CSV table of all heavy atoms in Angstrom, one decimal:
chain,number,residue,atom,x,y,z
A,211,MET,N,-28.9,49.4,-27.5
A,211,MET,CA,-30.0,48.9,-26.8
A,211,MET,C,-29.6,48.1,-25.5
A,211,MET,O,-28.7,47.3,-25.6
A,211,MET,CB,-30.9,47.9,-27.6
A,211,MET,CG,-32.1,47.4,-26.8
A,211,MET,SD,-33.2,46.4,-28.0
A,211,MET,CE,-32.2,44.9,-28.2
A,212,THR,N,-30.1,48.6,-24.4
A,212,THR,CA,-29.8,48.1,-23.1
A,212,THR,C,-30.9,47.3,-22.5
A,212,THR,O,-32.0,47.9,-22.3
A,212,THR,CB,-29.3,49.1,-22.1
A,212,THR,OG1,-28.3,49.9,-22.6
A,212,THR,CG2,-28.8,48.5,-20.7
A,213,MET,N,-30.8,46.0,-22.3
A,213,MET,CA,-31.9,45.1,-21.7
A,213,MET,C,-31.6,45.0,-20.2
A,213,MET,O,-30.5,44.7,-19.7
A,213,MET,CB,-31.8,43.7,-22.3
A,213,MET,CG,-33.0,42.9,-21.8
A,213,MET,SD,-34.5,43.4,-22.5
A,213,MET,CE,-34.4,42.8,-24.3
A,214,ILE,N,-32.7,45.4,-19.5
A,214,ILE,CA,-32.6,45.4,-17.9
A,214,ILE,C,-33.8,44.5,-17.4
A,214,ILE,O,-34.8,45.0,-17.5
A,214,ILE,CB,-32.7,46.9,-17.4
A,214,ILE,CG1,-31.7,47.8,-18.1
A,214,ILE,CG2,-32.6,46.8,-15.9
A,214,ILE,CD1,-31.8,49.2,-17.7
A,215,PRO,N,-33.4,43.4,-16.9
A,215,PRO,CA,-34.4,42.6,-16.2
A,215,PRO,C,-34.9,43.2,-14.9
A,215,PRO,O,-34.0,43.8,-14.1
A,215,PRO,CB,-33.8,41.2,-15.9
A,215,PRO,CG,-32.3,41.5,-15.9
A,215,PRO,CD,-32.1,42.7,-16.8
A,216,LEU,N,-36.1,43.2,-14.5
A,216,LEU,CA,-36.7,43.9,-13.4
A,216,LEU,C,-37.0,43.0,-12.1
A,216,LEU,O,-37.6,43.5,-11.2
A,216,LEU,CB,-37.8,44.8,-13.8
A,216,LEU,CG,-37.5,45.9,-14.8
A,216,LEU,CD1,-38.6,46.6,-15.2
A,216,LEU,CD2,-36.3,46.9,-14.4
A,217,SER,N,-36.9,41.7,-12.4
A,217,SER,CA,-37.2,40.8,-11.2
A,217,SER,C,-36.2,40.9,-10.2
A,217,SER,O,-35.1,41.3,-10.3
A,217,SER,CB,-37.2,39.3,-11.7
A,217,SER,OG,-36.1,38.9,-12.2
A,218,GLU,N,-36.6,40.6,-8.9
A,218,GLU,CA,-35.7,40.8,-7.7
A,218,GLU,C,-34.5,40.0,-7.9
A,218,GLU,O,-33.3,40.3,-7.5
A,218,GLU,CB,-36.6,40.4,-6.5
A,218,GLU,CG,-35.8,40.7,-5.2
A,218,GLU,CD,-35.5,42.2,-5.0
A,218,GLU,OE1,-36.3,43.1,-5.4
A,218,GLU,OE2,-34.5,42.5,-4.4
A,219,GLU,N,-34.6,38.7,-8.4
A,219,GLU,CA,-33.5,37.8,-8.5
A,219,GLU,C,-32.4,38.2,-9.6
A,219,GLU,O,-31.3,37.8,-9.6
A,219,GLU,CB,-33.9,36.3,-8.7
A,219,GLU,CG,-34.7,36.2,-10.0
A,219,GLU,CD,-36.2,36.2,-9.9
A,219,GLU,OE1,-36.7,36.9,-9.0
A,219,GLU,OE2,-36.9,35.7,-10.8
A,220,LYS,N,-32.8,39.1,-10.4
A,220,LYS,CA,-32.0,39.7,-11.4
A,220,LYS,C,-31.5,41.1,-11.2
A,220,LYS,O,-31.0,41.8,-12.1
A,220,LYS,CB,-32.7,39.7,-12.8
A,220,LYS,CG,-32.9,38.3,-13.5
A,220,LYS,CD,-31.7,37.7,-14.0
A,220,LYS,CE,-31.9,36.5,-14.7
A,220,LYS,NZ,-30.6,36.0,-15.4
A,221,LYS,N,-31.7,41.5,-9.9
A,221,LYS,CA,-31.3,43.0,-9.6
A,221,LYS,C,-29.8,43.2,-9.9
A,221,LYS,O,-29.0,42.3,-9.4
A,221,LYS,CB,-31.5,43.2,-8.1
A,221,LYS,CG,-31.5,44.6,-7.7
A,221,LYS,CD,-31.9,44.7,-6.2
A,221,LYS,CE,-31.8,46.2,-5.7
A,221,LYS,NZ,-32.4,46.5,-4.4
A,222,GLY,N,-29.5,44.2,-10.5
A,222,GLY,CA,-28.1,44.6,-10.8
A,222,GLY,C,-27.6,44.0,-12.1
A,222,GLY,O,-26.5,44.1,-12.5
A,223,HIS,N,-28.5,43.3,-12.9
A,223,HIS,CA,-28.2,42.8,-14.1
A,223,HIS,C,-28.5,43.7,-15.3
A,223,HIS,O,-29.6,44.4,-15.2
A,223,HIS,CB,-28.9,41.4,-14.4
A,223,HIS,CG,-28.4,40.3,-13.6
A,223,HIS,ND1,-27.9,39.1,-14.1
A,223,HIS,CD2,-28.4,40.1,-12.2
A,223,HIS,CE1,-27.5,38.3,-13.1
A,223,HIS,NE2,-27.8,38.9,-12.0
A,224,ARG,N,-27.6,43.8,-16.3
A,224,ARG,CA,-28.0,44.5,-17.5
A,224,ARG,C,-27.1,44.1,-18.7
A,224,ARG,O,-26.0,43.6,-18.4
A,224,ARG,CB,-27.9,46.0,-17.3
A,224,ARG,CG,-26.5,46.6,-17.0
A,224,ARG,CD,-26.6,48.1,-17.1
A,224,ARG,NE,-27.6,48.6,-16.2
A,224,ARG,CZ,-28.2,49.7,-16.3
A,224,ARG,NH1,-28.0,50.4,-17.5
A,224,ARG,NH2,-29.1,50.2,-15.5
A,225,THR,N,-27.6,44.1,-19.9
A,225,THR,CA,-26.8,43.9,-21.1
A,225,THR,C,-27.0,45.0,-22.1
A,225,THR,O,-28.1,45.3,-22.5
A,225,THR,CB,-27.2,42.5,-21.7
A,225,THR,OG1,-27.0,41.5,-20.7
A,225,THR,CG2,-26.4,42.2,-22.9
A,226,ALA,N,-25.9,45.5,-22.6
A,226,ALA,CA,-25.9,46.6,-23.6
A,226,ALA,C,-25.4,46.1,-24.9
A,226,ALA,O,-24.2,45.7,-24.9
A,226,ALA,CB,-25.2,47.9,-23.0
A,227,VAL,N,-26.1,46.3,-25.9
A,227,VAL,CA,-25.6,45.8,-27.2
A,227,VAL,C,-25.5,47.2,-28.1
A,227,VAL,O,-26.4,48.0,-28.1
A,227,VAL,CB,-26.6,44.9,-28.0
A,227,VAL,CG1,-26.2,44.8,-29.5
A,227,VAL,CG2,-26.7,43.6,-27.2
A,228,GLU,N,-24.3,47.4,-28.6
A,228,GLU,CA,-24.0,48.6,-29.3
A,228,GLU,C,-23.5,48.3,-30.7
A,228,GLU,O,-22.6,47.5,-30.9
A,228,GLU,CB,-23.0,49.5,-28.6
A,228,GLU,CG,-22.8,50.8,-29.4
A,228,GLU,CD,-21.8,51.8,-28.6
A,228,GLU,OE1,-21.4,51.3,-27.5
A,228,GLU,OE2,-21.6,52.8,-29.1
A,229,TYR,N,-24.1,48.8,-31.8
A,229,TYR,CA,-23.6,48.6,-33.1
A,229,TYR,C,-22.5,49.6,-33.5
A,229,TYR,O,-22.7,50.8,-33.2
A,229,TYR,CB,-24.8,48.9,-34.2
A,229,TYR,CG,-26.0,47.9,-34.1
A,229,TYR,CD1,-27.2,48.3,-33.5
A,229,TYR,CD2,-25.8,46.6,-34.6
A,229,TYR,CE1,-28.2,47.4,-33.5
A,229,TYR,CE2,-26.8,45.8,-34.6
A,229,TYR,CZ,-28.1,46.1,-34.0
A,229,TYR,OH,-29.1,45.2,-33.9
A,230,PHE,N,-21.4,49.0,-34.0
A,230,PHE,CA,-20.3,49.8,-34.4
A,230,PHE,C,-20.4,50.1,-35.9
A,230,PHE,O,-20.1,51.2,-36.4
A,230,PHE,CB,-18.9,49.1,-34.2
A,230,PHE,CG,-18.5,49.1,-32.8
A,230,PHE,CD1,-18.2,47.9,-32.2
A,230,PHE,CD2,-18.5,50.2,-32.0
A,230,PHE,CE1,-17.8,47.9,-30.9
A,230,PHE,CE2,-18.0,50.2,-30.7
A,230,PHE,CZ,-17.7,49.0,-30.1
A,231,GLU,N,-20.7,49.1,-36.6
A,231,GLU,CA,-20.9,49.2,-38.2
A,231,GLU,C,-22.1,48.4,-38.5
A,231,GLU,O,-22.5,47.4,-37.9
A,231,GLU,CB,-19.7,48.6,-38.9
A,231,GLU,CG,-18.4,49.1,-38.4
A,231,GLU,CD,-17.2,48.1,-39.0
A,231,GLU,OE1,-17.5,47.3,-39.8
A,231,GLU,OE2,-16.1,48.2,-38.4
A,232,ILE,N,-22.9,48.9,-39.5
A,232,ILE,CA,-23.9,48.2,-40.2
A,232,ILE,C,-24.2,48.7,-41.6
A,232,ILE,O,-24.2,49.9,-41.8
A,232,ILE,CB,-25.2,48.3,-39.3
A,232,ILE,CG1,-26.3,47.4,-39.7
A,232,ILE,CG2,-25.6,49.7,-39.1
A,232,ILE,CD1,-27.4,47.2,-38.9
A,233,ASP,N,-24.3,47.7,-42.4
A,233,ASP,CA,-24.6,48.0,-43.9
A,233,ASP,C,-25.9,47.3,-44.1
A,233,ASP,O,-26.0,46.1,-43.9
A,233,ASP,CB,-23.5,47.5,-44.8
A,233,ASP,CG,-22.2,48.3,-44.6
A,233,ASP,OD1,-22.2,49.5,-44.5
A,233,ASP,OD2,-21.1,47.7,-44.5
A,234,PHE,N,-26.9,48.0,-44.8
A,234,PHE,CA,-28.2,47.5,-45.2
A,234,PHE,C,-28.2,47.1,-46.7
A,234,PHE,O,-27.5,47.7,-47.4
A,234,PHE,CB,-29.3,48.4,-44.9
A,234,PHE,CG,-29.4,48.8,-43.3
A,234,PHE,CD1,-28.9,50.0,-42.9
A,234,PHE,CD2,-29.9,47.9,-42.4
A,234,PHE,CE1,-29.0,50.3,-41.5
A,234,PHE,CE2,-30.1,48.1,-41.1
A,234,PHE,CZ,-29.6,49.4,-40.6
A,235,ASP,N,-29.1,46.1,-46.9
A,235,ASP,CA,-29.3,45.7,-48.4
A,235,ASP,C,-28.0,45.4,-49.1
A,235,ASP,O,-27.7,46.0,-50.1
A,235,ASP,CB,-30.2,46.8,-49.0
A,235,ASP,CG,-31.5,47.0,-48.4
A,235,ASP,OD1,-32.1,46.1,-47.9
A,235,ASP,OD2,-31.8,48.3,-48.2
A,236,VAL,N,-27.3,44.5,-48.5
A,236,VAL,CA,-26.0,44.1,-49.2
A,236,VAL,C,-26.3,42.7,-49.8
A,236,VAL,O,-27.1,42.0,-49.5
A,236,VAL,CB,-24.9,44.0,-48.1
A,236,VAL,CG1,-24.5,45.4,-47.6
A,236,VAL,CG2,-25.3,43.1,-46.9
A,237,ASP,N,-25.3,42.4,-50.7
A,237,ASP,CA,-25.3,41.1,-51.4
A,237,ASP,C,-24.6,40.1,-50.5
A,237,ASP,O,-23.5,40.2,-50.1
A,237,ASP,CB,-24.7,41.1,-52.7
A,237,ASP,CG,-25.3,42.0,-53.7
A,237,ASP,OD1,-26.6,42.0,-53.7
A,237,ASP,OD2,-24.7,42.6,-54.6
A,238,LEU,N,-25.3,39.0,-50.1
A,238,LEU,CA,-24.9,38.0,-49.2
A,238,LEU,C,-25.1,36.6,-49.9
A,238,LEU,O,-26.1,36.4,-50.4
A,238,LEU,CB,-25.6,38.0,-47.9
A,238,LEU,CG,-25.3,39.3,-47.0
A,238,LEU,CD1,-26.1,39.1,-45.7
A,238,LEU,CD2,-23.8,39.5,-46.7
A,239,SER,N,-24.1,35.8,-49.8
A,239,SER,CA,-24.3,34.4,-50.3
A,239,SER,C,-25.2,33.6,-49.4
A,239,SER,O,-25.1,33.6,-48.1
A,239,SER,CB,-22.9,33.7,-50.4
A,239,SER,OG,-23.0,32.3,-50.6
A,240,GLU,N,-26.0,32.8,-49.9
A,240,GLU,CA,-26.9,32.0,-49.0
A,240,GLU,C,-26.0,31.0,-48.3
A,240,GLU,O,-26.5,30.3,-47.3
A,240,GLU,CB,-27.9,31.2,-50.0
A,240,GLU,CG,-29.1,32.0,-50.4
A,240,GLU,CD,-29.9,32.4,-49.2
A,240,GLU,OE1,-30.2,31.5,-48.2
A,240,GLU,OE2,-30.4,33.7,-49.1
A,241,ASP,N,-24.8,30.6,-48.7
A,241,ASP,CA,-24.0,29.7,-48.0
A,241,ASP,C,-23.5,30.2,-46.7
A,241,ASP,O,-23.1,29.4,-45.8
A,241,ASP,CB,-22.6,29.5,-48.8
A,241,ASP,CG,-22.9,28.6,-50.1
A,241,ASP,OD1,-24.0,28.0,-50.2
A,241,ASP,OD2,-22.0,28.8,-51.1
A,242,ILE,N,-23.7,31.5,-46.4
A,242,ILE,CA,-23.4,32.0,-45.1
A,242,ILE,C,-24.3,31.4,-44.0
A,242,ILE,O,-23.9,31.0,-43.0
A,242,ILE,CB,-23.6,33.6,-45.0
A,242,ILE,CG1,-22.4,34.1,-45.9
A,242,ILE,CG2,-23.5,34.1,-43.6
A,242,ILE,CD1,-22.7,35.7,-46.0
A,243,PHE,N,-25.6,31.1,-44.4
A,243,PHE,CA,-26.5,30.7,-43.4
A,243,PHE,C,-26.7,29.3,-43.5
A,243,PHE,O,-27.8,28.8,-43.7
A,243,PHE,CB,-27.9,31.4,-43.5
A,243,PHE,CG,-27.7,32.9,-43.6
A,243,PHE,CD1,-27.7,33.7,-44.9
A,243,PHE,CD2,-27.4,33.7,-42.5
A,243,PHE,CE1,-27.5,35.0,-45.0
A,243,PHE,CE2,-27.3,35.1,-42.6
A,243,PHE,CZ,-27.3,35.7,-43.8
A,244,THR,N,-25.7,28.4,-43.4
A,244,THR,CA,-25.8,26.9,-43.4
A,244,THR,C,-25.0,26.4,-42.2
A,244,THR,O,-24.1,27.0,-41.7
A,244,THR,CB,-25.1,26.4,-44.7
A,244,THR,OG1,-23.7,26.9,-44.7
A,244,THR,CG2,-25.8,27.1,-46.0
A,245,LEU,N,-25.4,25.2,-41.9
A,245,LEU,CA,-24.7,24.5,-40.8
A,245,LEU,C,-23.3,24.2,-41.2
A,245,LEU,O,-22.4,24.1,-40.3
A,245,LEU,CB,-25.4,23.1,-40.5
A,245,LEU,CG,-26.8,23.3,-39.7
A,245,LEU,CD1,-27.5,21.9,-39.6
A,245,LEU,CD2,-26.6,24.0,-38.3
A,246,ARG,N,-22.9,23.8,-42.5
A,246,ARG,CA,-21.6,23.7,-42.9
A,246,ARG,C,-20.8,24.9,-42.6
A,246,ARG,O,-19.6,24.7,-42.1
A,246,ARG,CB,-21.6,23.5,-44.4
A,246,ARG,CG,-20.2,23.2,-45.0
A,246,ARG,CD,-20.2,23.0,-46.5
A,246,ARG,NE,-21.1,21.9,-46.9
A,246,ARG,CZ,-21.4,21.7,-48.1
A,246,ARG,NH1,-20.9,22.3,-49.2
A,246,ARG,NH2,-22.0,20.6,-48.4
A,247,ASN,N,-21.3,26.1,-43.0
A,247,ASN,CA,-20.5,27.3,-42.6
A,247,ASN,C,-20.4,27.5,-41.0
A,247,ASN,O,-19.3,28.0,-40.6
A,247,ASN,CB,-21.2,28.6,-43.2
A,247,ASN,CG,-20.4,29.8,-43.1
A,247,ASN,OD1,-19.2,29.8,-43.3
A,247,ASN,ND2,-21.1,30.9,-42.5
A,248,LEU,N,-21.4,27.2,-40.4
A,248,LEU,CA,-21.3,27.4,-38.9
A,248,LEU,C,-20.2,26.4,-38.3
A,248,LEU,O,-19.5,26.7,-37.3
A,248,LEU,CB,-22.7,26.9,-38.3
A,248,LEU,CG,-22.8,27.2,-36.8
A,248,LEU,CD1,-22.6,28.5,-36.4
A,248,LEU,CD2,-24.1,26.5,-36.3
A,249,ARG,N,-20.2,25.2,-38.8
A,249,ARG,CA,-19.1,24.2,-38.4
A,249,ARG,C,-17.6,24.6,-38.7
A,249,ARG,O,-16.8,24.0,-38.2
A,249,ARG,CB,-19.4,22.8,-38.8
A,249,ARG,CG,-20.6,22.2,-38.4
A,249,ARG,CD,-20.7,20.8,-38.8
A,249,ARG,NE,-22.0,20.1,-38.2
A,249,ARG,CZ,-23.1,19.9,-38.8
A,249,ARG,NH1,-23.2,20.4,-40.1
A,249,ARG,NH2,-24.1,19.4,-38.3
A,250,LYS,N,-17.6,25.4,-39.7
A,250,LYS,CA,-16.2,25.8,-40.1
A,250,LYS,C,-15.4,26.3,-39.0
A,250,LYS,O,-15.8,27.3,-38.4
A,250,LYS,CB,-16.3,26.8,-41.3
A,250,LYS,CG,-15.0,27.1,-42.0
A,250,LYS,CD,-15.1,28.4,-42.9
A,250,LYS,CE,-16.1,28.1,-44.0
A,250,LYS,NZ,-16.3,29.3,-44.9
A,251,ARG,N,-14.2,25.8,-38.8
A,251,ARG,CA,-13.3,26.3,-37.8
A,251,ARG,C,-12.8,27.7,-38.3
A,251,ARG,O,-12.3,27.8,-39.4
A,251,ARG,CB,-12.2,25.3,-37.6
A,251,ARG,CG,-12.4,24.3,-36.5
A,251,ARG,CD,-11.1,23.6,-36.2
A,251,ARG,NE,-11.3,22.7,-35.0
A,251,ARG,CZ,-11.3,23.1,-33.7
A,251,ARG,NH1,-11.0,24.4,-33.6
A,251,ARG,NH2,-11.5,22.3,-32.8
Side-chain angles (χ1 to χ4, degrees):
M211 179 172 68
T212 304
M213 187 69 77
I214 305 174
L216 300 176
S217 60
E218 189 62 30
E219 62 268 23
K220 289 284 189 176
K221 190 174 182 179
H223 289 240
R224 66 172 55 213
T225 298
V227 172
E228 183 177 358
Y229 293 105
F230 287 127
E231 308 167 13
I232 185 167
D233 295 315
F234 297 104
D235 300 318
V236 293
D237 291 329
L238 297 178
S239 168
E240 281 297 317
D241 291 340
I242 290 175
F243 308 102
T244 62
L245 289 174
R246 179 185 300 175
N247 186 47
L248 183 65
R249 289 189 181 97
K250 186 190 301 180
R251 273 192 170 275

